[in-house]
Amino acid sequence: MSPFFVPGRLFIGGEWLKGRNDFDDRNPADLDEVIGSFPQADASEVAAAVEAARATFPGWRRTSRILRAEAFDRLAQLIKRDTDALATLMARECGKNITECRAEVVEGLHMVQYVFGTGRAGVYGEVVASEIAEKDVLVRRKPWGVVAVVTPWNFPFAVPLWMLGPSLLEGNTCVFKPSEETPAIAQRLVELFVEAGFPAGTVNLVHGAGAVGEQLVKNPGVNVVCFTGSYAIGKRIQEISAGMPDRIVAAEMGGKNAVIVCEDCRFDLAVNAGILSAFKTTGQRCVSASRIIVHESLVEKYAKAFTDTATRLRFGDPLDPTNFAGPLVNRKGVEKVLSYNALAKTEGVKVLADAGDVPANAKGCFLSPFIYQANTNPATRVLHEEVFGPHVALIPFRTDEEAARIYNDTEYGLSMAVITECYRRMRFFRDECEYGMGYVNLPSIGAEVHLPFGGVKKSGNGHPSAAALVDAVTHKTAWTVNHGTDIKMAQGLTTAIEGGPA
Ligand code: NAD
């Protein structure tokens, strides 16, 4: 057994539990390496985790918001101490390149620092005016109660912190169900919460596949589900939750993102933006661009430069920082991308690059870029569906209006970038495209934690994550106090009571 082997545990009500029904966690760069073995929580363990969070909620809610925030300051110091080890574990577990893993740990740290700072800042509520001079009105945010945090494998450290951070700061308690592909980094994060002094029951951890997530979502003791993952699962969670009073679902889902390359672009910047958007994280970011929409006057030149650059990228060992990117997360991911590559060919696209598996890395889940040119067509599935891998279409356009139409012609609306030197043009795309995150002269990737992170259509249901999550994990209350000695009502409502006390 590897000296780095992680023994998996559930964490419920402050107790580390061995659980049962273990599943293996493997390194996608070398499927022979087992990172750890993790217990799949059963129904009673999921229920116990929700119960522990419920029981802890009243005490945590009553703890000063500033003291809750200070626990995040301690957590920040621990993340700084362990940055390299966390990045290395993440790279081994999910296959992202070590440089990306380090950036993700820093992103998680930034969320923790943001939450700490927010503890003393003014988002707690506001004082608003009343029609009646003697009345003071406080609009206060109150925590909902128990938040289920259900997360994907591709950002296994930062995305959980985007959700756990605001939820806990506002006084909620949490049950965290990480992806079954990345239980080790999730468990390490929970260990850091414990070391930082978060009280027992504030953060609970249940491991396992989708069925465990579904048991959690079905539990009526959960007030809020913070979900990030695919549209199919987000939809399922919203359907389950529709029958529950007071249930809030904040769902961040997939994308079919694009970079729009205009005629007036800086050409090299446009190629680099396309490459980073399409192939960072091997195309497995929710904001990865699988469509580059290129002005027809540039398409030939762009196709050559983009394909030449892409075929020089090195996809290899995630622990080697000189590699551009690593493997896909598992064999299922490889098969899915290969099936879309095959579909593209049957849909009549012009294939520009198709090297398939990376043979030198047969023990891992490596794939080379698949690049093709295709005209816009509502019937071409590969231009509309999320593939989640190094699979990218170059689509020519004639006018800005046509480019916006092509961009919008998917059921998703997460992220877009436009490459142009023209301020009128960038404003046109800003206003006409449907997205949650828009970029100019940048790739379609690149979140920062103090910004809202979300999308529209199949990409999100209007509750952005990261800093903006505070709106989903609290509800606003109006608290009105009369400082007068008699009752005066708004809207001129009369207060005379016939036969009342003199
Ligand atoms: P996934 O939807 O397969 O799984 C996400 C999580 O949901 C996992 O923890 C999984 O175990 C759990 N789950 C599965 N079935 C469930 C069920 N029936 N009930 C409750 N939970 C269930 O996604 P993934 O493969 O881990 O991640 C990739 C997807 O996530 C892509 O579609 C990507 O675009 C999306 N994503 C979106 C964002 C965003 O912010 N919009 C960020 C990262 C990833």
Side-chain angles (χ1 to χ4, degrees):
M1 191 187 290
S2 152
F4 304 110
F5 183 87
V6 181
R9 298 284 182 270
L10 309 174
F11 189 62
I12 299 175
E15 301 284 329
W16 289 104
L17 304 170
K18 258 183 114 159
R20 289 170 292 276
N21 311 316
D22 288 356
F23 63 95
D24 282 348
D25 174 25
R26 288 177 187 272
N27 178 348
D30 176 359
L31 291 170
D32 289 346
E33 187 194 350
V34 178
I35 305 284
S37 183
F38 290 81
Q40 167 120 331
D42 64 21
S44 67
E45 288 158 338
V46 172
V50 174
E51 191 43 51
R54 279 238 78 80
T56 311
F57 172 58
W60 184 241
R61 169 176 72 73
R62 291 187 198 112
T63 303
S64 153
R65 188 169 193 263
I66 290 174
L67 291 185
R68 292 196 301 256
E70 282 180 358
F72 282 95
D73 182 34
R74 296 193 294 275
L75 181 61
Q77 309 317 315
L78 301 175
I79 294 174
K80 282 186 194 168
R81 181 195 70 189
D82 289 358
T83 297
D84 285 344
L86 288 163
T88 303
L89 176 59
M90 193 192 305
R92 286 173 63 230
E93 187 175 43
C94 78
K96 295 204 301 192
N97 186 269
I98 186 75
T99 55
E100 289 199 53
C101 293
R102 212 169 271 130
E104 184 180 340
V105 174
V106 170
E107 188 174 353
L109 170 67
H110 288 169
M111 190 72 220
V112 170
Q113 290 171 327
Y114 176 85
V115 166
F116 167 54
T118 307
R120 286 183 188 264
V123 296
Y124 193 36
E126 53 186 331
V127 181
V128 298
S130 165
E131 277 174 45
I132 311 297
E134 293 86 345
K135 283 186 190 171
D136 282 343
V137 186
L138 302 184
V139 177
R140 290 179 72 247
R141 290 178 183 277
K142 294 187 85 175
W144 282 105
V146 174
V147 177
V149 170
V150 182
T151 54
W153 68 266
N154 66 338
F155 280 84
F157 190 79
V159 165
L161 281 169
W162 287 1
M163 299 170 172
L164 293 166
S167 301
L168 290 161
L169 172 71
E170 299 301 337
N172 301 282
T173 52
C174 296
V175 180
F176 174 25
K177 206 304 278 172
S179 168
E180 58 276 31
E181 300 293 342
T182 49
I185 188 78
Q187 184 166 307
R188 189 68 203 113
L189 175 59
V190 172
E191 286 167 1
L192 294 181
F193 269 100
V194 176
E195 194 179 342
F198 282 79
T202 49
V203 182
N204 301 275
L205 172 69
V206 289
H207 289 297
V212 176
E214 182 144 338
Q215 278 160 4
L216 180 57
V217 167
K218 283 183 170 162
N219 191 310
V222 169
N223 302 88
V224 180
V225 181
C226 291
F227 169 77
T228 297
S230 60
Y231 170 71
I233 306 299
K235 178 168 178 272
R236 170 94 187 120
I237 291 174
Q238 291 181 81
E239 283 166 359
I240 292 169
S241 300
M244 299 191 194
D246 288 358
R247 168 62 70 81
I248 302 293
V249 179
E252 294 303 334
M253 299 171 282
K256 188 70 181 174
N257 314 294
V259 178
I260 300 174
V261 177
C262 299
E263 199 177 359
D264 64 353
C265 69
R266 281 179 179 268
F267 188 78
D268 290 353
L269 187 152
V271 174
N272 290 343
I275 292 284
L276 294 169
S277 304
F279 302 120
K280 266 286 184 203
T281 326
T282 324
Q284 300 168 106
R285 289 183 177 226
C286 56
V287 288
S288 293
S290 53
R291 300 178 300 155
I292 316 282
I293 304 170
V294 188
H295 191 268
E296 61 174 4
S297 65
L298 289 179
V299 82
E300 206 174 309
K301 183 176 166 197
Y302 191 90
K304 177 160 178 12
F306 183 83
T307 307
D308 286 353
T309 311
T311 45
R312 280 200 307 271
L313 299 175
R314 284 214 317 272
F315 293 84
D317 180 2
L319 293 173
D320 178 350
T322 65
N323 284 328
F324 181 80
L328 296 191
V329 68
N330 53 28
R331 286 310 304 174
K332 219 169 110 198
V334 172
E335 276 147 30
K336 180 178 174 201
V337 177
L338 288 174
S339 76
Y340 272 101
N341 295 355
L343 176 65
K345 290 178 198 163
T346 67
E347 293 192 310
V349 307
K350 177 177 159 196
V351 176
L352 304 173
D354 177 19
D357 277 311
V358 181
N361 294 301
K363 281 169 137 191
C365 305
F366 290 90
L367 261 191
S368 303
F370 181 82
I371 305 168
Y372 55 98
Q373 191 175 322
N375 290 325
T376 180
N377 180 347
T380 306
R381 278 180 51 203
V382 287
L383 298 182
H384 296 88
E385 296 174 18
E386 185 181 48
V387 177
F388 220 54
H391 168 114
V392 60
L394 307 184
I395 311 169
F397 73 90
R398 283 200 189 87
T399 63
D400 293 348
E401 288 72 18
E402 189 190 15
R405 250 194 329 273
I406 295 171
Y407 169 79
N408 287 332
D409 183 24
T410 81
E411 292 180 306
Y412 293 98
L414 191 60
S415 177
M416 60 91 61
V418 56
I419 316 297
T420 177
E421 295 292 301
C422 171
Y423 69 92
R424 288 199 179 86
R425 193 164 261 154
M426 71 176 82
R427 188 171 193 267
F428 169 81
F429 287 113
R430 184 194 73 190
D431 292 349
E432 298 308 316
C433 293
E434 296 159 342
Y435 58 88
M437 279 87 58
Y439 298 91
V440 179
N441 292 331
L442 286 165
S444 63
I445 63 174
E448 295 185 54
V449 302
H450 54 289
L451 310 175
F453 192 98
V456 294
K457 296 153 85 178
K458 275 183 166 180
S459 297
N461 68 346
H463 295 290
S465 194
L469 195 78
V470 68
D471 289 331
V473 297
T474 56
H475 60 100
K476 281 183 169 175
T477 60
W479 181 253
T480 306
V481 179
N482 175 23
H483 294 277
T485 52
D486 59 350
I487 296 174
K488 288 185 193 151
M489 302 296 283
Q491 301 101 30
L493 188 69
T494 58
T495 55
I497 304 172
E498 205 182 321

